[in-house]
Coordinates of all heavy atoms in Angstrom, one line a residue:
Y46 N 22.8 5.5 -18.4 CA 24.2 6.0 -18.1 C 24.5 7.4 -18.5 O 25.1 8.2 -17.9 CB 25.2 5.0 -18.6 CG 25.2 3.7 -18.0 CD1 24.6 2.6 -18.7 CD2 25.7 3.5 -16.8 CE1 24.6 1.4 -18.1 CE2 25.7 2.2 -16.2 CZ 25.0 1.2 -16.8 OH 25.0 -0.1 -16.3
L47 N 23.9 7.7 -19.7 CA 24.0 9.1 -20.1 C 23.3 10.2 -19.2 O 23.8 11.2 -18.8 CB 23.4 9.3 -21.6 CG 24.2 8.7 -22.7 CD1 23.4 8.6 -24.0 CD2 25.5 9.6 -22.9
N48 N 22.1 9.7 -18.8 CA 21.3 10.5 -17.8 C 22.1 10.7 -16.5 O 22.2 11.8 -15.9 CB 19.9 10.0 -17.5 CG 19.1 10.1 -18.7 OD1 19.2 11.2 -19.5 ND2 18.1 9.2 -19.0
K49 N 22.7 9.6 -16.0 CA 23.3 9.6 -14.8 C 24.7 10.5 -15.0 O 25.0 11.3 -14.1 CB 23.8 8.2 -14.5 CG 24.6 8.1 -13.0 CD 24.8 6.7 -12.5 CE 25.5 6.7 -11.3 NZ 25.8 5.4 -10.9
A50 N 25.4 10.3 -16.0 CA 26.6 11.1 -16.3 C 26.3 12.6 -16.5 O 27.0 13.5 -15.8 CB 27.3 10.6 -17.6
I51 N 25.3 12.9 -17.2 CA 24.9 14.4 -17.2 C 24.5 14.9 -15.9 O 24.8 16.0 -15.5 CB 23.7 14.6 -18.3 CG1 24.3 14.3 -19.6 CG2 23.1 15.9 -18.2 CD1 23.2 14.1 -20.8
A52 N 23.7 14.2 -15.1 CA 23.4 14.6 -13.7 C 24.6 14.8 -12.8 O 24.7 15.8 -12.1 CB 22.4 13.6 -13.1
L53 N 25.5 13.9 -13.1 CA 26.8 14.1 -12.2 C 27.6 15.4 -12.6 O 28.1 16.0 -11.8 CB 27.7 12.8 -12.5 CG 27.3 11.6 -11.7 CD1 28.1 10.4 -12.3 CD2 27.3 11.7 -10.2
F54 N 27.6 15.6 -13.9 CA 28.2 16.9 -14.4 C 27.4 18.1 -13.8 O 28.1 19.0 -13.4 CB 28.2 17.0 -16.0 CG 29.5 16.5 -16.6 CD1 29.7 15.2 -17.0 CD2 30.5 17.4 -16.8 CE1 30.8 14.7 -17.6 CE2 31.7 16.9 -17.5 CZ 31.8 15.7 -17.9
E55 N 26.2 18.1 -13.9 CA 25.4 19.2 -13.5 C 25.4 19.4 -12.0 O 25.3 20.6 -11.6 CB 24.0 19.1 -14.0 CG 23.8 19.2 -15.5 CD 22.4 18.8 -16.0 OE1 21.6 18.2 -15.2 OE2 22.2 19.1 -17.2
N56 N 25.7 18.4 -11.3 CA 25.6 18.5 -9.7 C 27.1 18.6 -9.2 O 27.2 18.7 -7.9 CB 24.9 17.4 -9.1 CG 23.4 17.4 -9.5 OD1 22.8 18.4 -9.6 ND2 22.8 16.2 -9.7
Y57 N 28.1 18.6 -10.0 CA 29.5 18.7 -9.6 C 29.7 20.1 -9.1 O 29.5 21.1 -9.9 CB 30.3 18.2 -10.6 CG 31.7 18.1 -10.3 CD1 32.3 17.2 -9.3 CD2 32.7 19.0 -10.9 CE1 33.7 17.3 -9.0 CE2 34.1 19.0 -10.5 CZ 34.4 18.1 -9.6 OH 35.8 18.1 -9.2
D58 N 30.4 20.3 -7.9 CA 30.6 21.6 -7.4 C 31.7 22.3 -8.2 O 31.8 23.6 -8.2 CB 30.9 21.5 -5.9 CG 29.8 21.1 -5.1 OD1 28.7 21.4 -5.5 OD2 30.0 20.5 -4.1
G59 N 32.6 21.6 -8.9 CA 33.7 22.2 -9.5 C 33.3 22.9 -10.9 O 34.1 23.7 -11.5
F60 N 32.1 22.8 -11.3 CA 31.7 23.5 -12.6 C 30.6 24.5 -12.3 O 29.8 24.4 -11.4 CB 31.1 22.4 -13.5 CG 31.9 21.4 -14.1 CD1 31.7 20.0 -13.9 CD2 33.2 21.7 -14.6 CE1 32.6 19.2 -14.4 CE2 34.1 20.7 -15.1 CZ 33.8 19.4 -15.0
D61 N 30.8 25.6 -13.1 CA 29.8 26.7 -12.9 C 28.6 26.3 -13.8 O 28.9 26.1 -15.0 CB 30.5 28.0 -13.5 CG 29.5 29.2 -13.4 OD1 28.5 29.0 -12.8 OD2 30.0 30.3 -13.9
K62 N 27.5 26.2 -13.3 CA 26.3 25.7 -14.1 C 25.9 26.7 -15.2 O 25.2 26.2 -16.2 CB 25.1 25.6 -13.2 CG 25.4 24.3 -12.2 CD 24.2 24.3 -11.1 CE 24.4 23.1 -10.3 NZ 25.7 22.9 -9.7
T63 N 26.3 27.9 -15.1 CA 26.0 28.9 -16.3 C 26.9 28.7 -17.4 O 26.6 29.2 -18.5 CB 26.0 30.3 -15.7 OG1 27.3 30.6 -15.3 CG2 25.0 30.5 -14.6
K64 N 28.0 28.0 -17.2 CA 29.1 27.8 -18.2 C 29.2 26.3 -18.7 O 30.2 26.0 -19.2 CB 30.5 28.4 -17.8 CG 30.3 29.9 -17.6 CD 31.7 30.4 -17.2 CE 31.5 31.9 -16.9 NZ 32.8 32.5 -16.6
M65 N 28.1 25.6 -18.6 CA 28.2 24.2 -18.9 C 28.4 24.1 -20.4 O 28.9 23.1 -20.9 CB 26.9 23.4 -18.6 CG 26.7 23.3 -17.0 SD 28.1 22.4 -16.2 CE 27.5 20.8 -16.5
N66 N 27.9 25.0 -21.3 CA 28.2 24.8 -22.7 C 29.6 25.1 -23.2 O 29.9 24.9 -24.3 CB 27.1 25.9 -23.5 CG 27.5 27.3 -23.1 OD1 28.2 27.6 -22.0 ND2 27.0 28.2 -23.9

Side-chain angles (χ1 to χ4, degrees):
Y46 293 102
L47 286 165
N48 288 327
K49 184 176 181 180
I51 288 170
L53 288 170
F54 263 91
E55 291 171 347
N56 296 326
Y57 183 66
D58 293 332
F60 294 128
D61 182 7
K62 289 173 183 44
T63 60
K64 296 184 179 180
M65 292 301 276
N66 59 344

